[in-house]
Amino acid sequence: MAVSMPTKIVTARLEHADSHTLERYLATGGYDGLRKALGMTPAEVAAEVDAASLLGRGGAGFPAGRKWSMLKKDPLTYLVVNGDESEPATFKDHLLIERDPHQILEGVIISAYALQVTQAFVYIRGEFALGLERMEEAVNDAYRQHALGSDIFGSGFSLDVVVHPGAGAYICGEETALLESLEGKRGFPRIKPPYFPAVIGLYGQPTVVNNVETMANIPWIVLHGGAAFAAMGEGRSTGTRLFALSGHVNRPGPYEVQMVKTTFRDLIYAPELGGGVREGRDLKAFIPGGVSSPWFGPGQVDLPLGQDEVAQEGSMLGSGSVVVMDSSTCVVRAAWRITKFFFRESCGQCTPCREGSGWLERILYRIEHGGGREQDLDLLMDVCDNISPGVHWPPQQTTICVLGPSIPPSIAAGLKMFRDEFLVHIKDGGCPFD
Amino acid sequence: MSHFSAAMAARARQLVALYPEPRSALLPLCHLAQEQDGWLRPEAMEEIAELVGVTAAEVRGTATFYDMLHTEPVGRYVVAVCTNIACILSGGAEMLEHAERRLRVRVGSTTEDGLFTLEESECLADCDFPPCVQVNHRFVRTTTPELFDRLIDELAAGGHAEDIPPHGTLVRVRRSGGLRVDRADIARERAAAEERSS
Amino acid sequence: MTDRAVSQHDAPAEETVEFTLDGRPASARPGELLIAAAERAGVYIPRFCYHPRMEPVGMCRMCLVEVSGPRGATLQPACFIPVEAGSEVVTNSDKVKKAQDGVLEFLLVNHPLDCPVCDKGGECPLQDQTLAYGPGESRFVEEKRHFEKPIALSDLVLLDRERCIQCARCTRFQDEIAGEAQIDFASRGERVEVASFPTQPFSSYFSGNTVQICPVGALTATPYRFTARPWDLDQVESTCTTCAFGCRAAVQSSANRLTRLLGIDSEPVNHGWLCDKGRYAFEAVNGDEVAAGPAEDDAQPVTLGSGRRRGQFAGEVAETASQVGRVTDPMLRDGDRHRRVGWTEALSEAAARLAAVREAHGPEAIAFIGGGRLTNEGAYAWTKLAKGVLGTDSVDAQIGDGLPAELVLSLPRATIDEACSARLVVLLSADVREELPVLFLRLRRSILDKRTTLLELTPRSTSLTPYAKVSLTVRPGDAPLVARAIAGEHAALPAHPMGPSFAPERLEGARNLAADVGDGAGVVVLYSRPSMAEHASVPAAAVAALGAAWPEARFLPLVRRGNVHGALDMGMAPGILPGRTSLEQGQRWFTEHWGSVPSRRGRDATEVFRSLTEREDDATRAVVLLGCDPLEDFPDRTLAKRALEAAEVVISVAGHPGPSLDLADVVLPVAVAHERPGTTTNIEGRVTRLGQKLAPPGLAWPDWSIASALSDELGYDLALGTPSEIAEEIERVAPAYRGFAPGFLDQVSGHDGIVVPLGAAHAPAVRPIDPMATPGVESVERQGAPPRVGLTDAVSRELLATLHPEEGVEGTPARLRRVGPSPVSTPQPDHYSLRLVATRRLYDRGASMEASPSLARLVGPAVALANPSDLARLGIGPGEPVRISSPRGQVTLAAEGDPGVPKGVLVIDFNLSEPDGATNAAAMLIDASAVVNDVRLETL
Ligand SMILES: Cc1cc2nc3c(=O)[nH]c(=O)nc-3n(C[C@H](O)[C@H](O)[C@H](O)COP(=O)(O)O)c2cc1C
Ligand code: SF4
Ligand code: FES
């Protein structure tokens, strides 16, 4: 298997144990991007990002340049960085925050300059205690060396950045819930329309929300140019991307690879990447982009890691987390556990998600533990249908945010790919894998 | 009478000053209160309410939305075992059962000596070290029952004071100052930039 | 958003947004929410969380409809999205029906389905909508979520979390409308629950509204709980007269007992809300066990030997006054006891006594005090009896706690809506939330919605202070000077040893606001008697000063007692005749209609009491108390007590017992609110209908019949048989009521009433109301349960046409001339005293609170509040008991520091008692004749 190991962009520095320190950061070209950016006009910086075709790394994959251009003109605008990473099996932001906080921060400052925002906030998942400490340290360092504060590097541009700790709620990764949370409220997502952050965001002001990894790419793009970034990958999916690989593989971990040029097979089987399915078992199924995405089977393993390529096959790259399930996996149990996650994390606003997630979880638990009835399978699908009409991809929804329609994919995929396994559970009155 | 100690109260005021609107400091202040008391006491919530200008019911209502904020006392160490998809594929459920046996408590409860509270957690974003365990939100990477037991023994014996502070202390690095940029300057600066570009 | 959207509705809507609704063309107002636009077009979209008076949250997802957009038709919450021009909306497709069916099934997943034991059963929107839109049966076989069955959020509100559907109506009401989020959602996901803070009960004055708008039986009210089933209820639409704001309400009863009041959504008045006092004071009408108040310290408890609870037989008569809920029988004094008699005997005794006094001392020796609890018809009948038959002008509906009638009746009146949209509202009052609670809700929302700006002059900071643009705390006696200073006179402010009572920049701020208003066009001045310890001439002078400075300003009097405005309009004040005219101006006209009118101006309540004690030649000797209790309500208790003891004759027309009743020679039992039909007039002059729900208890009669019968006994036929006959006579003779055809109010669309004097009455636009808020009973004609469309009814043009005043009837007297400013001089404060302020509290020891068990327990003791620096200066610790003395008397209260109280001032809430006594503590200290009252404090 020939994997072209790409230029490392966001993980280049991580070979050093002290990659999180200012010293190492400066020694490895740190803040050069910012210096360069400050010599350009904000519009020129934005143009480079646009040219890079940098797709947002938070899950929705919206091009960062486009998003920036949609920011409504206003004397008061904000940049909010989403470091809430809670999508199950996603652990790439965790790595970047803990191991290279300055890179994110530099990206934030450059972006703030390009957007001319008045203040930036970095919202970090509360459970990342070490990451929070490192980011706070990086911010202190940045102020100390005039990369933050008044008149940054003598450019006349000023900025304050505040690191904001979350407190344990998955939904706060959803950008409007994150803004609510940042405003000191419970993380209830806002309704779009009209609450598109670029128009009505933090404190009702236009706001750009970008993912941590998206930000981490910015210094490189400014230093090397958008074209250099776009030269990697293919089509709309440019550059590299940091994939979090987990589950039944020999070498679980975060891997930065070129988009499209790399396939799921490379990621799972290449010796320098996943190193193959554990204990030489067969691949049963894999989740291509976080637990909100419909599953793939062995037949789709040669798909390239590209946004549109995966979408065409009826799923998504989402948050960049790939979970491998081998032949020993109980599909009912996997679907139940994922559903339980959504049940526990539903914010509670919308009736279908609040009540539906719990109902589905209880049915799946019952099937897994021997109380299943044949009619449960249709019931599961119909309850899913009432949350996400049609249960297809891309989904429709009866809910405010897409947490609701994120619930059905695992159940629908499980039922579609492994209906027999559900039936065995029902007939045997329990789990055949136990 | 302030419930926060003098030093904590000073930090609380600093936190409030970081945001365009005081209510934004609500979660950081709840963390601060947990740092002082180990959990979120009613008195602390009442004081936070005053600091940010909402009612105590709103502070409690908001805080209880978040798993990390405890409105009931918890142990000195909150042990969280992840059983989400990546971990359950690699022994997460078994690790949780092991932890229940080892600590002799059910999930959600605290050991009699007040040392450990056991929680089942959702994905903690450390899926390459499954099953993932955190103690007081520090990744401990005790991926086997043996490693887990050893850590518990060490903690019970007062070890790890350096790397695992008591529950509630989230961030030991303090922000070295408040906002540095005059808000009025910012407005002026941005207006000038706007003019230049147009 | 909704409130603002609503206000736009008032303007003639020229602009419209055209769209397609279920295939038919429809139009919306710009920015109008789809759910509201559809409703006006006759398409009812089911909903739970949406409430037209609150911000939409789009949470329950019941209102999903298909809306065309760039990505084809998608399901969108109709309650959240404004109508877009050209959009295609489908509310009845299979997809929509499946979504609605799904949402209902989800809602029932964790719902306990305990309808048979639920208060809401039979009037439950969840039940109703499940029938109309929901699944036939649930497919849910799992274990439901369990919570501890009802938990008490407060003394009045219970919460059953299992029934809650997480619609956030209650929490939004408290946050957005009441402005005190004492309840909020706690927890996350399926465990989301409504919760108060453990150490702080849900003590809002407005908590009952949350119960009313809860679409399920999650919130229940202790006074109503398990008292009735909806299908047993019977109801009338009526007006709450607990205060003078005039909230519209549905009054419900079962088996001749009142069970519940529900706010009706009246666009010009209460927007559907009620305060808890108004909502629960009906218990006083039922007259169940009265919370036994502490016994009077100095009065012998008099055995009344009468009184029954509603529904009690004549045989089972309660023994003592404190057990008696209601006055049910006429009584005559017999030594120090009362004896039950029949009406004939009581009336002839009363007439004989009054006739004797008149014979011996002239008509002016008779005085009538009280009237604020009467209907307009009752007030008119009693005025006619007093002024027309007996010939005395000493009639005063205010009990020394109001403002000069000439001022109130002569200033150009603003409506509540005008106040809430004025370019500047100037408030000269104490705390509006304590006095006219629902006006507080309206004003607060208006300020937050940026429809008006508030300048406040108050004796201490108030609930509106946080919302005021400028707030000035004004010491007793100083208001006229401060008012003049604001209006531009550079007169020096009063000097005070403790320095000014507000920061000088604030005065500057107030002046700047005032400088912008020119002749006062668009300004509304809200005014009341801010303190019972300050003479009425002080606020009167301040108001008159603003009136002089702003000739175009309008005024809204916040005099608060029940139907006091109706009483004043009916002439129940010295120097006044019905219809806002004066004795002088109306002399010819009323002589023509009544036969005679008093020859000279009479005494007001304070003068009557003084006269009774001073026993001059032409002194008052007989006093008729009209549903009032001066020993509780009059600011100067010492004077009132001496006066009643000195009176030769005391006749009490009473519905409830009280200390003054014990001193009465003749007691005449009167029907109270909800027991007689009629009309009432609120602060803005709006006349609305009072519905009769119950028969009066025992032998009690309606107020007008007593006047009529007493008149007969005196040998004069009032010719006022029925309320409608009286209303017709009012229309004929009272200038301000000219043209007001009483039948108007009986029309469904006349239920909002009409403001007198009739002007350019405009028809309010049709607007959606919350169809779930007055659930269940169909007989409130204008609001019904879904699937009936919840729209207000516009007053039809034809109906309005019936109201046009017939101008220029020969001889109609002119309305009162506007009163000009008159000087008051305030004595200099001294260094050792504090100036007393006695403000009102909503929960006080007034009759309606005391006689309502659910409310009585909410009344706290009086506290003495002073600026913390004054307490420090006097060496008084917080909470420490202090002896407070004035030349009138002394009381002992706990002292508390309150930075909202200006220096040099002591605030004692009026009509609250000493911790161990039943007295109205403030009234023990006040000399009603003094301009201001100073008190001294000493520690014990
Ligand atoms: C339920 C839910 C959870 C999400 N969690 C995260 C998250 O943890 N981190 C993140 O960056 N984006 C998350 N997102 C996506 C964000 O809403 C948003 O699209 C993203 O932060 C934008 O950044 P990007 O454009 O740089 O990708 C989540 C979305 C949903 C619906
Ligand atoms: S208690 Fe009633 S009003 Fe409040 S959220 Fe629950 S269902 Fe809605
Ligand atoms: S979501 Fe529209 S009424 Fe609840």
Side-chain angles (χ1 to χ4, degrees), chain C residues 223-508:
Chain C
Y224 175 72
R225 219 171 134 73
F226 303 136
T227 59
R229 305 300 333 216
W231 48 87
D232 295 331
L233 291 174
D234 186 30
Q235 71 185 359
V236 294
E237 58 83 28
S238 187
T239 308
C240 174
T241 49
T242 308
C243 80
F245 191 66
C247 295
R248 303 291 298 145
V251 180
Q252 303 181 330
S253 71
S254 169
N256 207 35
R257 294 172 54 79
L258 294 178
T259 50
R260 184 165 71 171
L261 253 72
L262 295 172
I264 285 179
D265 194 324
S266 172
E267 174 67 20
V269 187
N270 60 316
H271 290 189
W273 315 128
L274 295 178
C275 74
D276 285 3
K277 184 171 173 180
R279 188 180 295 272
Y280 300 121
F282 72 80
E283 288 181 340
V285 179
N286 285 340
D288 292 345
E289 329 83 64
V290 179
E296 274 288 85
D297 46 359
D298 49 359
Q300 281 292 320
V302 175
T303 306
L304 287 171
S306 169
R308 332 167 188 153
R309 282 196 290 146
R310 184 172 292 289
Q312 217 174 23
F313 296 109
E316 347 160 11
V317 165
E319 274 310 303
T320 61
S322 62
Q323 286 175 350
V324 176
R326 289 290 304 277
V327 178
T328 52
D329 296 80
M331 290 181 284
L332 295 181
R333 179 192 281 286
D334 207 349
D336 56 4
R337 290 178 64 94
H338 278 118
R339 177 166 61 85
R340 275 198 295 142
V341 296
W343 271 105
T344 322
E345 193 180 345
L347 286 170
S348 79
E349 180 74 19
R353 287 188 176 231
L354 291 178
V357 169
R358 188 164 79 142
E359 191 71 17
H361 306 285
E364 285 300 338
I366 303 171
F368 290 76
I369 306 295
R373 295 203 179 95
L374 303 176
T375 58
N376 285 350
E377 291 71 18
Y380 179 79
W382 282 99
T383 308
K384 191 172 177 184
L385 170 62
K387 298 197 174 182
V389 176
L390 288 167
T392 173
D393 188 52
S394 296
V395 177
D396 194 354
Q398 304 188 83
I399 321 154
D401 61 350
L403 286 168
E406 278 94 345
L407 180 83
V408 173
L409 296 178
S410 69
L411 287 170
R413 198 82 68 101
T415 63
I416 294 163
D417 273 345
E418 280 163 353
C420 291
S421 57
R423 58 193 284 215
L424 180 66
V425 173
V426 182
L427 180 69
L428 294 162
S429 156
D431 198 333
V432 176
R433 188 168 69 175
E434 304 290 344
E435 306 205 10
L436 298 159
V438 177
L439 176 60
F440 162 79
L441 298 184
R442 294 275 322 260
L443 281 172
R444 177 183 170 276
R445 245 351 303 164
S446 290
I447 298 167
L448 287 176
D449 292 342
K450 304 204 165 35
R451 291 197 284 124
T452 191
T453 302
L454 174 65
L455 164 60
E456 188 189 53
L457 274 70
T458 61
R460 54 154 307 171
S461 60
T462 71
S463 318
L464 280 173
T465 303
Y467 308 98
K469 184 94 181 179
V470 178
S471 174
L472 304 176
T473 43
V474 179
R475 292 195 187 94
D478 293 352
L481 273 179
V482 177
R484 279 159 57 192
I486 289 170
E489 266 182 59
H490 284 270
L493 283 184
H496 191 281
M498 255 71 89
S501 58
F502 46 78
E505 337 47 288
R506 295 210 179 180
L507 182 61
E508 230 17 73

Side-chain angles (χ1 to χ4, degrees), chain C residues 726-866:
Chain C
I726 305 175
E728 277 159 29
E729 180 163 324
I730 293 170
E731 191 273 332
R732 231 176 20 251
V733 307
Y737 284 63
R738 172 53 58 78
F740 176 68
F744 177 88
L745 300 180
D746 298 332
Q747 316 284 322
V748 169
S749 58
H751 283 180
D752 277 343
I754 200 93
V755 173
V756 294
L758 300 179
H762 67 287
V766 179
R767 65 180 303 283
I769 51 168
D770 179 26
M772 300 177 207
T774 39
V777 191
E778 278 295 326
S779 57
V780 170
E781 299 113 296
R782 60 209 297 281
Q783 287 173 311
R788 236 183 91 171
V789 176
L791 292 175
T792 55
D793 297 280
V795 180
S796 70
R797 282 189 204 293
E798 299 81 75
L799 196 57
L800 280 176
T802 64
L803 286 179
H804 275 305
E806 317 146 43
E807 298 290 348
V809 173
E810 189 72 38
T812 308
R815 305 246 322 277
L816 275 172
R817 272 185 293 273
R818 192 158 161 173
V819 183
S822 57
V824 268
S825 79
T826 309
Q828 277 297 311
D830 77 45
H831 228 303
Y832 309 100
S833 318
L834 296 177
R835 203 142 262 189
L836 183 63
V837 165
T839 45
R840 288 201 177 277
R841 261 300 245 268
L842 186 63
Y843 292 169
D844 64 6
R845 301 201 67 118
S848 56
M849 290 290 294
E850 292 281 270
S852 304
S854 301
L855 293 173
R857 59 173 180 258
L858 304 176
V859 185
V863 184
L865 299 172

Side-chain angles (χ1 to χ4, degrees), chain A residues 383-400:
Chain A
V383 173
C384 286
D385 186 75
N386 284 339
I387 300 172
S388 180
V391 197
H392 49 57
W393 196 263
Q396 293 218 0
Q397 64 201 64
T398 57
T399 52
I400 291 173

